[in-house]
Amino acid sequence: MSEGKGSPLQETTSKVADIQLGLQHDLDALKTQLSPRAVEDLKVKYLGRKGQVTALMETLKSLPKEEKPAAGKIINELRQKLEGELEIWRQKAEDHALEQSLTQHKLDISLPVQTTTGQGSLHPVTLMRRVLLAEFRRLGFTVYDGPEVDLDFYNFSALNFKDDHPARDMQDTFFIGERAKTILRTHTSNIQIHAMMVEQAPLRIVAPGRTYRCDSDLTHTPMFHQIEGFVVDEGIDMGDMKGVIDRFLKAVFGQDLATRLRPSFFPFVEPGAEFDLQCVACRGKGCRICKQTGWLELGGLGMIHPNVFEAVGYDSDRYTGFAFGFGIDRIAMLRYGLADLRQLFEGNQQFLGQFPIHP
Ligand code: DAH
């Protein structure tokens, strides 16, 4: 508040006091309506081009020369003080605004996420393969891999297939390259040869993979999946073989389903057999799925033929072993009740999306 007409310096001092008082008043009001915008308005009111401090600065011009420095100093101090003060309030206003927007647009992390759109699922064959391999790992098997495009030697000759064996026939095997020596493997048994040529016994291996045969109907596709397994050590016998297959099937399909071996022939095993599981649908009574037999044929197995050991350079007097092989797709078909195996490979999203994300 002005103290009336005094010296020009006194006048300036009292205007400075007025401005300070006015600002104090404005700041008190600001506290109830704090916003960056309101602080900006105050800045304009006091420090802007037409602001009060700027106007006071203008009065310097008309002051007597000897009073100008002192008055100028007072006004400059005022300006600096106001600038500092308003900067602090600008910061406060921004913090306040941020806080407000955070409480208004609060993110509720306890809300359930949308799971119905855009989430992929595992292919039924992948699910099945994971379940089966997990069980073999539990039994102490190592998972091994081998080539899908292979030489006749690994797929047939070394596995004791004679040159005129019908499995080599054009109708079954896809041949690639010159003189039909390169083929798409017809089974994962080729991995027996690859593994034994590199690794030393004892071995306990399972090998999953794609296999190819020129065949297509409700239960056959030109590409399908198998798992091959083999165990080689001193003193391995048929009891070990039956024990592993029985434990494995029971672990995957349930303890109450019976398993059985039926004599059969495969060139690379002697004796050879097929292994069956009591029908998962009718539990042995006989139904459409097991063709009224009560049994499902799952795969082949047998004691590794001495000729195979010879082909890979293993001592067949010292080592014995058993091997088995079966189709993953067929097991997926039984487990998920599929009528047509070809569905597995048509890439229909609606069909594939029905399977669980985890086994
Ligand atoms: N490789 C045979 C097939 O694809 C399955 C098979 C039978 C594998 C007997 C084996 C075995 O290891 O001992 O039909």
Side-chain angles (χ1 to χ4, degrees):
M1 215 163 289
S2 167
E3 290 166 13
K5 291 270 175 207
S7 72
L9 190 57
Q10 276 174 341
E11 192 124 327
T12 304
T13 315
S14 89
K15 274 185 184 152
V16 165
D18 279 351
I19 290 174
Q20 276 180 330
L21 215 61
L23 179 69
Q24 211 47 60
H25 184 76
D26 284 342
L27 288 179
D28 283 346
L30 184 72
K31 281 173 198 156
T32 59
Q33 291 247 11
L34 189 59
S35 75
R37 178 72 199 262
V39 176
E40 191 56 36
D41 288 347
L42 288 186
K43 224 169 153 181
V44 172
K45 178 174 174 183
Y46 290 95
L47 301 167
R49 250 185 332 120
K50 292 180 181 156
Q52 294 185 15
V53 178
T54 320
L56 190 57
M57 209 59 134
E58 296 290 319
T59 62
L60 276 181
K61 285 181 200 155
S62 49
L63 248 53
K65 206 175 166 207
E66 63 280 8
E67 300 209 351
K68 271 184 190 168
K73 192 169 171 248
I74 294 170
I75 300 170
N76 263 332
E77 278 170 3
L78 172 71
R79 201 231 295 273
Q80 275 168 18
K81 194 169 162 236
L82 257 61
E83 275 173 356
E85 213 158 348
L86 286 171
E87 176 54 26
I88 289 168
W89 278 97
R90 191 190 61 76
Q91 195 59 53
K92 275 190 197 169
E94 261 170 26
D95 291 351
H96 179 70
L98 180 65
E99 197 129 311
Q100 262 191 336
S101 107
L102 283 178
T103 37
Q104 267 168 24
H105 309 113
K106 208 170 178 179
L107 182 67
D108 184 355
I109 56 165
S110 69
L111 275 178
V113 290
Q114 265 261 33
T115 54
T116 49
T117 52
Q119 185 165 23
S121 57
L122 289 178
H123 191 282
V125 174
T126 305
L127 282 169
M128 218 52 256
R129 190 188 62 225
R130 290 191 179 182
V131 169
L132 299 170
L133 291 183
E135 207 42 59
F136 279 115
R137 283 201 183 91
R138 231 163 265 142
L139 289 173
F141 282 76
T142 305
V143 178
Y144 215 86
D145 199 9
E148 289 174 36
V149 177
D150 210 354
L151 293 173
D152 175 286
F153 171 79
Y154 294 94
N155 194 87
F156 291 128
S157 305
L159 285 164
N160 198 33
F161 282 80
K162 300 288 172 252
D163 283 347
D164 58 354
H165 193 281
R168 292 169 178 255
D169 201 294
M170 273 288 193
Q171 275 137 48
D172 259 7
T173 309
F174 286 110
F175 293 92
I176 301 178
E178 297 219 340
R179 289 183 292 129
K181 286 292 171 206
T182 312
I183 60 166
L184 293 181
R185 69 174 171 204
T186 59
H187 51 183
T188 42
S189 305
N190 67 332
I191 300 171
Q192 285 187 40
I193 306 302
H194 285 286
M196 285 195 270
M197 287 185 100
V198 182
E199 314 284 347
Q200 291 304 312
L203 295 178
R204 214 184 298 176
I205 284 175
V206 276
R210 293 190 186 91
T211 47
Y212 303 85
R213 282 179 212 175
C214 197
D215 210 350
S216 182
D217 59 34
L218 277 182
T219 53
H220 296 90
T221 48
M223 188 282 295
F224 55 106
H225 300 86
Q226 287 190 334
I227 291 181
E228 184 80 11
F230 45 100
V231 172
V232 180
D233 202 349
E234 292 177 20
I236 297 288
D237 60 28
M238 288 186 71
D240 300 316
M241 176 175 84
K242 188 159 187 344
V244 165
I245 290 298
D246 190 61
R247 265 195 65 174
F248 160 69
L249 290 178
K250 288 211 157 88
V252 173
F253 289 98
Q255 295 297 322
D256 50 340
L257 287 172
T259 63
R260 73 173 185 191
L261 304 186
R262 255 179 315 110
S264 187
F265 174 78
F266 301 95
F268 42 95
V269 282
E270 178 58 35
E274 283 176 62
F275 58 94
D276 298 346
L277 175 71
Q278 214 171 27
C279 181
V280 292
C282 65
R283 315 217 141 229
K285 288 195 201 72
C287 69
R288 192 180 48 81
I289 292 177
C290 59
K291 301 199 184 91
Q292 310 305 330
T293 63
W295 294 94
L296 300 167
E297 297 174 10
L298 287 190
L301 82 181
M303 298 303 289
I304 296 176
H305 199 292
N307 289 354
V308 174
F309 282 143
E310 226 146 89
V312 297
Y314 273 26
D315 180 355
S316 62
D317 288 332
R318 181 172 172 198
Y319 291 113
T320 51
F322 64 87
F324 53 90
F326 57 88
I328 305 177
D329 320 84
R330 172 154 166 77
I331 292 183
M333 219 176 155
L334 295 169
R335 170 93 166 236
Y336 298 121
L338 309 178
D340 186 345
L341 191 69
R342 291 170 294 196
Q343 285 174 297
L344 289 175
F345 308 114
E346 283 165 353
N348 178 343
Q349 285 287 319
Q350 272 189 330
F351 169 76
L352 295 175
Q354 306 172 75
F355 297 93
I357 288 165
H358 300 291

